[in-house]
Amino acid sequence: MNPNIKSEGIIQIGIITEKLIESKEFFQKWLGWRVKFESEWFLLLSHPEKEDREIAFMLPNQTAVRKSYFQKAYTGQGVWLIIESEEIKTLYEQMVNVGAPIDLPLTKEEWGDLHFTMIDPNGIGLDFVQMRS
């Protein structure tokens, strides 16, 4: 790594998908995320308490987007999102109580993670993990 180059800020994620509406409904219903910006082909959601934490969804093949690698749809494999919580047990109980589509119940892994998982409409795994110290 070049020591003279410093990367700043929080990493955001953008997903190119045909499922804008399904993604919006999923993140609003199960995670409480809010619409920060929305157009016919682009959706930006933000965390309900930390607005600088965002996730974007965009329809594929947008000619306004100059680079071809920003036009191709996600193919449904090889990506997961990690969502840390200070109170993972409480979050898990709340999600169970509202009927969230949890596909791995609260589990303590041999490497130390305490977590549960869900899958979003795009096939992306969401890994809810106890915040690490």
Side-chain angles (χ1 to χ4, degrees):
M1 181 177 141
N2 185 331
N4 298 320
I5 298 174
K6 303 276 190 258
S7 177
E8 303 264 341
I10 296 170
I11 293 175
Q12 307 292 352
I13 188 163
I15 299 164
I16 302 168
T17 178
E18 294 284 351
K19 298 180 178 181
L20 289 184
I21 294 169
E22 297 93 331
S23 298
K24 175 183 171 182
E25 290 172 353
F26 179 91
F27 277 83
Q28 285 182 320
K29 181 175 183 176
W30 302 119
L31 302 177
W33 287 53
R34 299 183 181 134
V35 174
K36 197 167 190 178
F37 176 81
E38 185 172 16
S39 72
E40 291 180 6
W41 59 274
F42 187 85
L43 172 65
L44 180 64
L45 301 175
S46 67
H47 187 279
E49 296 163 4
K50 299 173 184 172
E51 288 191 19
D52 63 336
R53 307 227 173 129
E54 301 170 334
I55 187 167
F57 297 93
M58 181 172 63
L59 287 175
N61 304 314
Q62 296 303 309
T63 56
V65 180
R66 293 191 169 103
K67 300 305 276 181
S68 64
Y69 50 82
F70 290 128
Q71 296 176 0
K72 298 174 185 163
Y74 172 67
T75 59
Q77 296 180 329
V79 172
W80 83 96
L81 304 178
I82 301 165
I83 302 168
E84 289 187 326
S85 171
E86 293 178 6
E87 298 290 333
I88 197 70
K89 290 179 183 177
T90 301
L91 177 60
Y92 177 74
E93 290 169 7
Q94 291 170 342
M95 295 287 237
V96 167
N97 288 338
V98 296
I102 295 168
D103 69 335
L104 175 72
L106 192 61
T107 302
K108 174 82 172 187
E109 300 293 356
E110 59 189 62
W111 55 85
D113 279 356
L114 180 61
H115 69 132
F116 66 94
T117 65
M118 294 170 35
I119 298 174
D120 91 336
N122 304 290
I124 297 172
L126 305 178
D127 192 6
F128 296 86
V129 179
Q130 177 70 38
M131 190 165 287
R132 298 168 184 104
S133 55

